[in-house]
Amino acid sequence: MQIRFNNWAFTTIIPYIIALSALNSSAEPSLNDIHQTQKEKIKLMAENHQSIEALNQETNKILSDHEKNLEEIESLKKYNSLLREQIKAQATQINSAELRINKIAVTERKIPPLFLDMIEDLEGSIDQSLPFQKTERRHRIEQLKVLMKRPNLSLSEQYQQILEAYRVESNYGKAMTTYRDAIVLDGEELQVDILQLGRLALFFSTLSRERIGMWDASKQSWIELNQSSFKKNIRSAINIAKGNEPEDLLVLPFPSSSLKIKTEE
């Protein structure tokens, strides 16, 4: 009985052991397989290292770009803040300029009437003054009125023209001059030489030097003088004004008792 069991065990176990041994023998890797596996492992590690390095470089680049972007954003914030302050200041300047422009516009509307008043005053002064060079002076007033209607003429140009007219009128008061004109004496029109002594007095002499006279402001008319001394002095004064005689001290019939006659530019 015992022998039969051993034979069964031998016939059963031995094939299993042989099969297991063969299985183990076929499952064990060879040296070449180990080397190949090691090479593949090294290759994979190298590839992974390169991937990691590339990833690190990309990450560093992203971080660097991000820092630059942050710096740019901070710079833009400061710049925008400065621009906001500048825009605020400009807005204040614009508002101030608009207020000044509005004031200027109001002032400009007031200036033309002021100019017209100045021209009217000058015209009134001419009408009330001695009647010397009336044609020229009235023509100057009419020219000013025409200039005021010209839209292409600036306010400053109009003002300059008005000031020039006032300057000319002012200079009349400083001059001693003579000119030829027509006057009406006792209803008769005469061609005469007029002697103008500033704004103090006007005298006349006919071209023949026979009739001598002056402007009488109280009568607003020309009157003839018969006193021989006055007639002589008036003739001399006219000659002095023309440059035909030297300067002299003459007595003439107006409020001052005497007047030294001088030619003035």
Side-chain angles (χ1 to χ4, degrees):
M1 187 65 163
Q2 185 67 33
I3 295 172
R4 293 177 59 184
F5 174 75
N6 290 337
N7 289 336
W8 177 84
F10 181 81
T11 57
T12 302
I13 293 172
I14 291 303
Y16 177 76
I17 292 173
I18 293 172
L20 183 60
S21 177
L23 180 61
N24 290 333
S25 176
S26 61
E28 183 177 353
S30 65
L31 185 59
N32 291 333
D33 291 339
I34 293 173
H35 287 169
Q36 185 64 32
T37 301
Q38 190 68 22
K39 288 180 179 180
E40 291 178 356
K41 181 178 179 182
I42 293 172
K43 181 180 179 181
L44 288 174
M45 290 178 64
E47 291 177 352
N48 289 338
H49 180 73
Q50 292 177 354
S51 298
I52 291 171
E53 285 296 325
L55 184 60
N56 285 336
Q57 292 178 0
E58 183 67 22
T59 302
N60 291 335
K61 183 177 183 302
I62 292 173
L63 289 175
S64 177
D65 292 343
H66 180 63
E67 290 177 357
K68 290 180 180 179
N69 290 336
L70 290 178
E71 292 177 357
E72 184 69 18
I73 290 172
E74 186 64 24
S75 176
L76 288 174
K77 286 181 179 179
K78 293 180 180 179
Y79 181 65
N80 289 337
S81 177
L82 178 61
L83 285 181
R84 283 193 293 270
E85 293 298 323
Q86 291 177 346
I87 291 172
K88 183 178 178 181
Q90 289 176 351
T92 302
Q93 292 177 349
I94 290 172
N95 291 334
S96 177
E98 288 178 347
L99 290 175
R100 290 196 298 269
I101 290 172
N102 291 335
K103 290 181 180 179
I104 291 173
V106 172
T107 302
E108 285 184 345
R109 289 195 297 268
K110 294 180 179 179
I111 288 176
L114 176 61
F115 287 173
L116 292 175
D117 289 343
M118 292 176 68
I119 295 173
E120 184 178 346
D121 290 343
L122 186 60
E123 185 176 20
S125 173
I126 292 173
D127 291 338
Q128 295 173 11
S129 69
L130 298 175
F132 57 87
Q133 302 186 41
K134 276 295 184 81
T135 301
E136 177 185 338
R137 297 163 74 194
R138 289 186 182 278
H139 177 71
R140 189 177 296 111
I141 294 297
E142 293 303 317
Q143 286 296 106
L144 288 178
K145 292 179 179 179
V146 171
L147 289 177
M148 290 298 297
K149 297 177 182 178
R150 287 176 53 183
N152 61 330
L153 203 63
S154 67
L155 291 175
S156 62
E157 291 172 319
Q158 292 175 345
Y159 183 57
Q160 289 298 324
Q161 293 295 328
I162 294 173
L163 286 184
E164 177 63 16
Y166 269 86
R167 186 189 67 80
V168 172
E169 283 293 321
S170 175
N171 287 339
Y172 284 140
K174 306 173 185 178
M176 169 185 168
T177 186
T178 182
Y179 59 93
R180 188 158 294 181
D181 201 354
I183 67 170
V184 176
L185 179 63
D186 298 329
E188 180 184 1
E189 184 173 302
L190 301 174
Q191 286 292 323
V192 298
D193 286 328
I194 301 291
L195 173 65
Q196 175 196 343
L197 299 181
R199 294 179 179 274
L200 296 176
L202 284 178
F203 302 97
F204 75 87
S205 170
T206 58
L207 303 183
S208 64
R209 297 294 187 263
E210 293 180 359
R211 304 179 70 176
I212 305 292
M214 65 180 295
W215 175 260
D216 188 339
S218 63
K219 297 179 180 180
Q220 289 293 297
S221 64
W222 294 97
I223 61 172
E224 188 172 359
L225 299 175
N226 296 315
Q227 188 174 344
S228 60
S229 60
F230 284 154
K231 294 173 70 171
K232 178 183 177 182
N233 288 346
I234 291 171
R235 291 191 191 98
S236 294
I238 291 174
N239 289 331
I240 292 172
K242 289 183 176 182
N244 297 331
E245 291 185 17
E247 296 179 3
D248 197 1
L249 186 64
L250 301 172
V251 177
L252 299 174
F254 62 94
S256 296
S257 59
S258 64
L259 176 70
K260 185 177 181 180
I261 306 298
K262 289 187 177 181
T263 57
E264 295 184 28
E265 295 295 332

